[in-house]
Amino acid sequence: MFSYKNKNILIVDDQKAFHIMLKTMLTNQGAKNITFSDSAENAVKLAHHREFDIYLIDYNLGSGKNGAQLLDYLRNNHLIPSTALCFIITGDNNKGMVLTAIEKSPDDYLMKPFSQTQLFNRLTKASQKKAVLTDIFQALEDKEYPKAVTLCREKINSAPKFRGLCKNLLADIFIQTQQFEAAEKILKPLVEKRPLVRASISLGKAYYLQKKYPEAIKLLKETIYNTPLQMEAYQWLARSYQENGDLSKALNILTHAANMTNHSIERHQEVALLANEMNEHKIMLSSYSAILQLSRNSFYPDPCHLANYIRSIIDYAKEQEDINERKLILKQVNSALYQSRFEEGRNNNFDFNGFDEICQAKISIAIDEPLKAKRRILSTLQNSETEITDLDTTFLCESLFSLLDIGEFDYAEPYLEELNQRDIMDPSTQISIKKQTGEALELRVQTFKEHNRQGIQAFKQKSYDTALEHFNQALKLEALNSGALLNRIQVYIQLLKQSQNEERQVLLTKCQASFNLLSNTRLPEEHAVRYKELKHELAELKVSK
């Protein structure tokens, strides 16, 4: 029989009336050690100082973090003993809220109002289940998988009431340790006998991981038809469709699941990643907007979500052929930045002002004003007093991407080297880095540098026309690259020394146009010195002629 005696209980709820009611229920049945918290933040502080046996957490904790986020944080930081019972409670029957809470796998879930008897019975049932499975979960936490397998098999034989649950758990261990055929061998008879939800989802997952996509799709579709609120089934069904080549169906399923669990960052993240792969920019924008809003109230706010959202706005705008339509969409960037100044802008480790400037430069690129963008980018980076190694990861990424946008490869190199040393956790940021710095960039840089190299070689041989041709080819590829522009100016100056009157005027005009692409720009020191020298050389040449 379950007993509250000697149990330390933590109640997390922002409503004092509920505290009193729940305390009355618990004390009537013998509970003595009851602690209250009215916010997620305060609950974390309490959990750092003592352990509890029972956690009764309300989902809706007012403004700020919710109960599901609190439970997730406490588990990730090992602040809940493996023997403890965790219940999520809510008075809101909103389906999205309920599903999001269930996804965090509490020991049970209670809807307000509930009776003293209901609470006791549910705690009793959860306690019995926990008693049977605790040593298995502890072995899994310690990554002692052979021990966990042995314990599961023992429980299957010794605890008939939990036999099915232990078989499912054993199959999950086999999946976790990549023994997919062993998992299938356990799960298939269970599903054939009776299509239980958990066994069906696990078997669908095992099929997927063995690349048996048609089998996974068939089983998971049936599971969702019979039990349409199982979010994990949607996840593996979408992945199966995706790997089977049907991206549209995969995206529809993920979007449906994200709309059902509107409080789940994970669901929106999956939609955004697949939409990114399919170049569905409008869907990406919507998903990243949701992720940004949810992350702001989470335990893990990160400016990378702001960067992902703004990048999705700019990508969506670039799709529009009409410049006015583009500008209209890009207004969302400034709206987002204005709000984020009071959110992400409060993060002392994030260079918000620099990030804002880079975003403004990207807007200029999107509306076909690359020179304006270049000046803003280089000025922002030159004005930064922070060493590259000390830049926050979000600003580092956006700085690198902006330098690549304007073809300043040499300038970008130390940023890329530093980024390669960082451990990037956010999957969307990982994809952006791969797109911007992968094989496509290598080919782009190689092609550009080859033209530039041949131009330098021809210049050294005093084959100025050939040199000019190669530098022009390089600048067709990267029109704003400072090094190539300076190289072309140097060729123009040599050609001017040999030119006649009519040709001289044409060369002067072209030379000045190249200078104009570098003027009012905060160039790196080496380029700035060279620019000044060439400017002086051209002035002397004008006087002498």
Side-chain angles (χ1 to χ4, degrees):
M1 176 66 72
F2 179 76
S3 172
Y4 291 105
K5 188 178 179 180
N6 299 325
K7 294 285 194 301
N8 289 319
I9 302 171
L10 175 63
I11 299 172
V12 186
D13 194 292
D14 64 328
Q15 300 295 320
K16 190 171 182 179
F18 182 72
H19 283 182
I20 295 169
M21 183 200 74
L22 194 51
K23 182 179 180 180
T24 302
M25 284 186 183
L26 295 167
T27 53
N28 283 344
Q29 296 202 335
K32 294 180 179 179
N33 304 315
I34 303 172
T35 303
F36 297 102
S37 172
D38 61 0
S39 70
E41 290 82 1
N42 187 47
V44 169
K45 290 178 183 176
L46 290 168
H48 272 290
H49 288 96
R50 62 184 295 195
E51 291 184 344
F52 297 92
D53 303 296
I54 300 172
Y55 297 75
L56 302 174
I57 303 172
D58 191 68
Y59 184 95
N60 191 344
L61 298 175
S63 60
K65 300 159 185 66
N66 61 45
Q69 291 168 332
L70 171 61
L71 178 57
D72 191 44
Y73 179 85
L74 293 176
R75 281 178 173 163
N76 287 341
N77 289 274
H78 309 290
L79 294 172
I80 297 179
S82 58
T83 55
L85 299 176
C86 301
F87 277 42
I88 287 184
I89 300 169
T90 185
D92 191 336
N93 62 1
N94 175 279
K95 184 168 66 174
M97 187 178 288
V98 172
L99 291 174
T100 305
I102 291 173
E103 275 202 287
K104 298 303 176 185
S105 301
D107 291 295
D108 210 337
Y109 181 90
L110 280 168
M111 290 287 297
K112 298 176 185 176
F114 51 84
S115 68
Q116 181 174 296
T117 302
Q118 282 177 304
L119 175 62
F120 180 77
N121 289 341
R122 301 282 275 275
L123 281 168
T124 300
K125 185 178 178 182
S127 177
Q128 291 172 347
K129 176 180 169 183
K130 182 76 76 171
V132 171
L133 301 179
T134 292
D135 51 355
I136 300 173
F137 288 138
Q138 188 61 55
L140 289 173
E141 189 175 325
D142 297 336
K143 297 184 178 179
E144 296 179 353
Y145 299 115
K147 180 180 178 181
V149 168
T150 301
L151 288 168
C152 276
R153 286 179 167 148
E154 288 175 359
K155 306 291 183 186
I156 288 167
N157 295 323
S158 63
K161 184 177 178 181
F162 296 98
R163 183 171 293 149
L165 182 60
C166 291
K167 283 185 177 181
N168 271 302
L169 190 52
L170 178 58
D172 287 343
I173 295 168
F174 283 140
I175 289 172
Q176 191 173 350
T177 55
Q178 298 186 7
Q179 300 176 67
F180 306 129
E181 289 183 8
E184 182 181 339
K185 189 175 179 181
I186 293 170
L187 294 165
K188 205 168 180 179
L190 290 176
V191 172
E192 287 173 349
K193 182 179 179 182
R194 185 175 155 205
L196 298 170
V197 175
R198 183 174 174 186
S200 297
I201 294 172
S202 294
L203 182 55
K205 181 178 176 181
Y207 282 148
Y208 168 85
L209 293 168
Q210 294 177 84
K211 300 183 179 180
K212 297 179 178 180
Y213 305 126
E215 291 94 327
I217 290 168
K218 183 175 183 294
L219 178 58
L220 292 166
K221 279 178 68 178
E222 290 172 359
T223 303
I224 290 170
Y225 179 80
N226 293 322
T227 51
L229 301 183
Q230 293 296 321
M231 292 300 100
E232 194 178 0
Y234 288 91
Q235 179 186 50
W236 291 103
L237 177 59
R239 289 178 181 178
S240 299
Y241 272 126
Q242 186 175 355
E243 293 299 327
N244 207 41
D246 199 335
L247 300 186
S248 294
K249 280 188 179 177
L251 185 58
N252 287 338
I253 290 164
L254 288 176
T255 303
H256 179 63
N259 290 336
M260 290 171 70
T261 56
N262 57 319
H263 292 77
S264 173
I265 289 178
E266 293 81 5
R267 295 284 83 81
H268 286 292
Q269 184 76 267
E270 286 198 76
V271 173
L273 292 173
L274 183 53
N276 191 342
E277 183 180 337
M278 297 173 66
N279 291 318
E280 292 284 355
H281 295 294
K282 195 170 184 178
I283 296 174
M284 281 171 59
L285 194 158
S286 175
S287 296
Y288 284 129
S289 175
I291 291 167
L292 176 61
Q293 298 307 320
L294 290 169
S295 72
R296 283 173 171 165
N297 289 328
S298 76
F299 280 96
Y300 311 102
D302 193 317
C304 74
H305 300 306
L306 173 62
N308 291 335
Y309 175 49
I310 288 178
R311 209 179 296 126
S312 69
I313 296 171
I314 293 171
D315 286 345
Y316 180 45
K318 285 180 178 177
E319 271 199 325
Q320 315 308 314
E321 291 185 8
D322 185 279
I323 191 68
N324 292 320
E325 183 66 25
R326 242 187 264 178
K327 288 179 178 179
L328 188 63
I329 293 168
L330 289 167
K331 285 183 178 179
Q332 295 178 57
V333 173
N334 285 320
S335 296
L337 288 169
Y338 177 79
Q339 183 182 357
S340 62
R341 185 170 291 279
F342 306 100
E343 299 281 353
E344 289 74 19
R346 294 180 298 180
N347 182 344
N348 293 329
N349 296 318
F350 173 47
D351 185 354
F352 178 82
N353 290 330
F355 176 81
D356 190 334
E357 287 294 312
I358 294 296
C359 290
Q360 299 302 329
K362 290 190 169 189
I363 291 174
S364 295
I365 291 172
I367 57 175
D368 301 324
E369 295 178 352
L371 182 55
K372 184 178 177 181
K374 175 179 176 174
R375 287 169 177 161
R376 197 159 199 162
I377 291 164
L378 296 185
S379 177
T380 300
L381 299 182
Q382 289 284 331
N383 287 335
S384 175
E385 296 178 357
T386 307
E387 294 291 329
I388 291 175
T389 52
D390 295 328
L391 292 176
D392 66 89
T393 298
T394 298
F395 183 55
L396 176 68
C397 284
E398 297 311 308
S399 299
L400 171 63
F401 297 160
S402 65
L403 288 169
L404 296 178
D405 283 341
I406 58 174
E408 292 287 9
F409 303 125
D410 291 339
Y411 201 168
E413 196 169 313
Y415 290 84
L416 180 56
E417 288 175 1
E418 175 58 28
L419 190 58
N420 287 335
Q421 304 300 314
R422 305 280 178 100
D423 187 14
I424 307 297
M425 302 301 294
D426 175 61
S428 293
T429 305
Q430 289 175 352
I431 288 173
S432 293
I433 291 169
K434 186 176 180 181
K435 277 186 175 180
Q436 297 265 17
T437 67
E439 292 180 3
L441 176 62
E442 288 181 16
L443 180 60
R444 180 182 160 195
V445 173
Q446 183 181 349
T447 307
F448 165 78
K449 286 192 171 181
E450 180 58 25
H451 283 299
N452 207 35
R453 185 193 65 78
Q454 289 184 34
I456 292 169
Q457 187 176 8
F459 182 85
K460 287 178 180 177
Q461 295 169 353
K462 299 185 179 180
S463 300
Y464 300 127
D465 288 332
T466 303
L468 182 60
E469 185 180 336
H470 283 298
F471 291 138
N472 281 336
Q473 286 296 320
L475 288 163
K476 274 186 180 179
L477 298 171
E478 309 295 341
L480 296 177
N481 182 275
S482 300
L485 284 167
L486 289 167
N487 289 340
R488 184 165 71 179
I489 289 170
Q490 197 165 1
V491 174
Y492 281 139
I493 288 173
Q494 291 304 318
L495 289 171
L496 277 165
K497 291 176 182 178
Q498 305 170 4
S499 64
Q500 301 300 320
N501 287 339
E502 288 184 14
E503 184 188 10
R504 173 184 171 77
Q505 190 54 49
V506 173
L507 288 169
L508 271 173
T509 301
K510 289 182 177 180
C511 187
Q512 191 57 55
S514 291
F515 268 118
N516 290 342
L517 293 174
L518 293 168
S519 64
N520 301 316
T521 303
R522 291 284 299 275
L523 296 169
E525 186 177 354
E526 183 182 343
H527 286 166
V529 169
R530 195 171 166 213
Y531 173 85
K532 190 175 180 181
E533 289 173 349
L534 290 170
K535 193 84 173 173
H536 180 70
E537 189 174 352
L538 179 63
E540 285 192 335
L541 187 59
K542 286 179 179 178
V543 172
S544 66
K545 290 283 185 176

